[in-house]
Amino acid sequence: MAVELQYCLTVPPGDPQQRPVRFIGKLRCLKDLKWLQISDYLSPRVDQQTWFAALESVEKNTTVSLWLSNAIVSALPFKVSRHNSPGRPHALSRTVNTLKLHDHPEYAFIIACERSEAYSLGCAVARCYPRYNKSTTGSVKNINVQVGFIFVGDDTRPLTDQERQALSETGEGIRLTQYIVDAPCSEMHTDGFLEQIKEVGAKLGLTPFVIRGENLREKGFGGIYGVGQGASRPPALAVLSHCPPGATKTIAWVGKGIVFDTGGTCLKTRLSMLGMKRDCGGAAAILGGFYAAVKLGFSENLHAVFCLAENSIGPLATRPDDVHTLYSGKTVEINNTDAEGRLVLGDGVVYASKDLKADIVVDMATLTGAQGIATGKYHGAILSNDEGIEGHCSIAGRASGDLAFPVPFSPELHFSEFNSVLADMKNSVQDRSNAQVSCAGLFIFSHLGFDFPGTWLHIDMAAPVSSGERATGYGVALLATLFGSLSSNPLLKSIAPAISMSSKAVDEHTVTKKRKIET
């Protein structure tokens, strides 16, 4: 079954017998709807009296049937904490996932909400319809899902075409990301991922720059090459670059693209290896986010850097005790081949800084299992040398539905976990109970250098990358919103934090350290 998702300025009227309709929103938003706004979607099966009676009963039941299973109204929870998204997009996704698509070629979703919540709720619908599906069952092969909005509150103007475009392009990016993450490594190997990058580049009129295989080793990318050297398909560093006229600043998004993670020579157990096709979730989100951002008029230089490898086992695979030299020139003693994501990202962020001259470097990765323990399955963990972008990322998470929450940034307390007597550092911590999520991110940052004058943001989304057995597309809407102030799209600009593009002063720890050295 293939689902086409269509965001509509206005959903065309229709008989529920021919096109099932679902109304979704917080109860107060549903009660604000006028019968004339919704009657064309319900007639002749549901009358005004039935609609208002349903709203009275929906207070006790989350979902109420108006007419068989073809006309349904669902109320989203009203209460929301300060670390959640105001529109309750996760609740919407759960509700939509319970409303199964059956034998109709078309379905309509009418969302009642405030205008500021439209983006997060629209993205939540996209997450419900991942594209990868090899099932051969089902009588209807192609289904069109039409999504419309009726706004309540202070601004009740209909959805504009530019707002619809923001939802459509972001939804496309989310579903692309889901497809890459859901596809098995037999299809989405490094060659398959590169094909996805090329296809996105073709849609945007861009040609990717690629370094792969032995060329990585020759050029000094010891992290990416070392992780992927044991696989049958060579590792790669790929870059898509959007450089519009008049741009003065440069942003780089760097994604961990481990297409499958066996753990390498430090082999995972059978159960912990299941689902490791999702270890490319960071790079997949970078690709989907880049597509959406460029389509929606990104005004500054934007580079998407993909660090692609399969962490496999074999006679050529990295061994514990091996020492690799990364692109930064720093040497790393390998004490755990299953701590591979930080190695490829160490190369990626340095390339972004040194070769692409990025002012802001964001890396995104399914980096640590500890992330889910630290910030849970909904909130990605963020780590940064800049308190400003850290706060902006949390704001963008609540506005987009891709929630994010900071973990401690204290190199002086945590980086000693990587001490090595043989090399500049080890790749895995000595004490696994000492802020693992922070430590893993600091390993990546150490290759930029703790005196890095630019802005660095790390997003660990190991748990939010999936829900159950399906990918969520986490990260696409977060990136689009975080940098939405640099977009020409008015919807993104209206919900985006006012991110600063000025150079960041070095952090207080670095200043203190320099003063001691000078003294």
Side-chain angles (χ1 to χ4, degrees):
M1 180 182 71
V3 174
E4 178 187 353
L5 193 61
Q6 180 183 2
Y7 294 94
C8 304
L9 297 179
T10 302
V11 175
D15 183 343
Q17 187 174 34
Q18 306 301 322
R19 185 194 62 191
V21 61
R22 287 88 162 92
F23 291 88
I24 303 177
K26 294 176 183 176
L27 186 58
R28 62 174 176 79
C29 296
L30 293 168
K31 287 186 173 181
D32 278 350
L33 298 181
K34 307 294 189 294
W35 176 245
L36 289 176
Q37 293 177 293
I38 61 175
S39 58
D40 285 345
Y41 305 117
L42 294 172
S43 299
R45 311 300 163 183
V46 181
D47 59 21
Q48 184 174 359
Q49 183 179 359
T50 303
W51 167 258
F52 286 110
L55 292 187
E56 292 304 317
S57 62
V58 82
E59 294 186 53
K60 299 178 182 179
N61 302 285
T62 303
T63 296
V64 171
S65 173
L66 300 167
W67 186 73
L68 303 176
S69 61
N70 287 35
I72 291 174
V73 58
S74 298
L76 299 177
F78 175 74
K79 292 183 179 179
V80 59
S81 65
R82 62 191 176 92
H83 290 146
N84 198 359
S85 186
R88 297 302 299 268
H90 294 92
L92 183 142
S93 292
R94 285 193 295 271
T95 299
V96 171
N97 281 328
T98 64
L99 305 175
K100 301 299 183 183
L101 306 183
H102 296 293
D103 295 328
H104 293 272
E106 285 190 356
Y107 285 78
F109 285 94
I110 309 298
I111 301 174
C113 66
E114 296 184 15
R115 192 177 222 94
S116 61
E117 300 169 351
Y119 187 74
S120 66
L121 295 175
C123 291
V125 175
R127 297 184 187 102
C128 297
Y129 299 109
R131 285 202 174 114
Y132 189 87
N133 189 345
K134 289 302 177 81
S135 174
T136 59
T137 60
S139 58
V140 179
K141 298 301 181 184
N142 296 294
I143 295 177
N144 177 252
V145 175
Q146 300 170 332
V147 183
F149 293 83
I150 300 178
F151 294 127
V152 300
D154 295 333
D155 188 351
T156 60
R157 291 174 298 122
L159 192 75
T160 68
D161 188 58
Q162 287 182 304
E163 290 170 332
R164 183 205 58 79
Q165 184 189 15
L167 293 166
S168 296
E169 303 298 1
T170 308
E172 177 68 19
I174 288 170
R175 299 182 77 203
L176 167 65
T177 298
Q178 289 175 304
Y179 181 86
I180 294 171
V181 175
D182 279 338
C185 187
S186 56
E187 301 172 28
M188 200 56 63
H189 35 62
T190 52
D191 292 341
F193 205 122
L194 284 172
E195 285 303 312
Q196 295 293 322
I197 294 170
K198 290 175 183 176
E199 288 181 18
V200 168
K203 291 177 181 178
L204 301 176
L206 305 173
T207 301
F209 171 74
V210 180
I211 306 172
R212 45 179 340 198
E214 291 300 316
N215 285 338
L216 286 168
R217 181 183 59 80
E218 293 167 1
K219 294 181 180 296
F221 293 93
I224 301 174
Y225 181 81
V227 170
Q229 68 188 33
S232 59
R233 297 177 187 268
L237 178 122
V239 185
L240 282 172
S241 297
H242 165 72
C243 301
T248 59
K249 295 292 182 179
T250 300
I251 299 103
W253 297 343
V254 184
K256 173 189 172 184
I258 302 298
V259 293
F260 195 84
D261 181 18
T262 66
T265 311
C266 300
L267 191 65
K268 295 178 183 288
T269 63
R270 178 182 67 87
L271 291 178
S272 62
M273 203 184 298
L274 287 173
M276 283 299 106
K277 64 180 182 179
R278 303 184 189 116
D279 216 14
C280 64
I286 295 296
L287 183 59
F290 181 84
Y291 170 84
V294 174
K295 277 286 191 178
L296 296 174
F298 203 84
S299 61
E300 299 288 354
N301 297 321
L302 180 63
H303 302 283
V305 182
F306 307 95
C307 306
L308 307 178
E310 180 183 350
N311 190 22
S312 189
I313 55 174
L316 300 179
T318 290
R319 299 162 292 256
D321 295 337
D322 284 355
V323 176
H324 292 318
T325 303
L326 270 60
Y327 195 56
S328 62
K330 298 183 188 300
T331 55
V332 180
E333 178 188 359
I334 306 301
N335 63 339
N336 183 2
T337 62
D338 197 19
E340 84 297 330
R342 62 200 68 181
L343 296 170
V344 303
L345 287 174
D347 278 351
V349 297
V350 173
Y351 181 84
S353 174
K354 185 167 70 172
D355 293 65
L356 301 177
K357 310 300 181 186
D359 304 288
I360 297 178
V361 177
V362 179
D363 73 76
M364 182 175 285
T366 52
L367 201 65
T368 64
Q371 177 274 307
I373 298 170
T375 58
K377 63 183 181 180
Y378 298 109
H379 293 73
I382 54 177
L383 182 73
S384 181
N385 66 334
D386 185 335
E387 188 176 10
I389 199 169
E390 175 188 282
H392 290 325
C393 191
S394 291
I395 294 169
R398 294 192 292 276
S400 66
D402 284 342
L403 300 171
F405 195 80
V407 293
F409 176 81
S410 296
E412 68 276 24
L413 298 180
H414 298 139
F415 192 67
S416 59
E417 293 292 343
F418 297 107
N419 284 349
S420 168
V421 298
L422 300 176
D424 294 325
M425 66 192 77
K426 293 182 179 179
N427 76 312
S428 189
V429 295
Q430 297 173 9
D431 184 355
R432 297 180 69 84
S433 65
N434 185 20
Q436 276 194 67
V437 180
S438 294
C439 289
L442 289 173
F443 179 95
I444 299 166
F445 186 48
S446 72
H447 292 275
L448 285 171
F450 292 121
D451 58 350
F452 177 61
T455 296
W456 167 76
L457 173 67
H458 166 66
I459 305 170
D460 188 342
M461 32 75 84
V465 71
S466 62
S467 178
E469 296 186 28
R470 300 297 298 216
T472 60
Y474 180 95
V476 175
L478 177 62
L479 290 171
T481 304
L482 177 59
F483 293 93
S485 62
L486 305 178
S487 170
S488 64
N489 187 274
L491 177 56
L492 281 182
K493 292 177 81 72
S494 70
I495 63 173
I499 190 168
S500 173
M501 287 298 297
S502 60
S503 297
K504 186 199 136 313
V506 292
D507 64 277
E508 184 179 351
H509 163 65
T510 304
V511 172
T512 304
K513 184 177 178 182
K514 282 186 174 182
R515 285 174 182 166
K516 287 181 179 178
I517 293 173
E518 290 169 358
T519 302

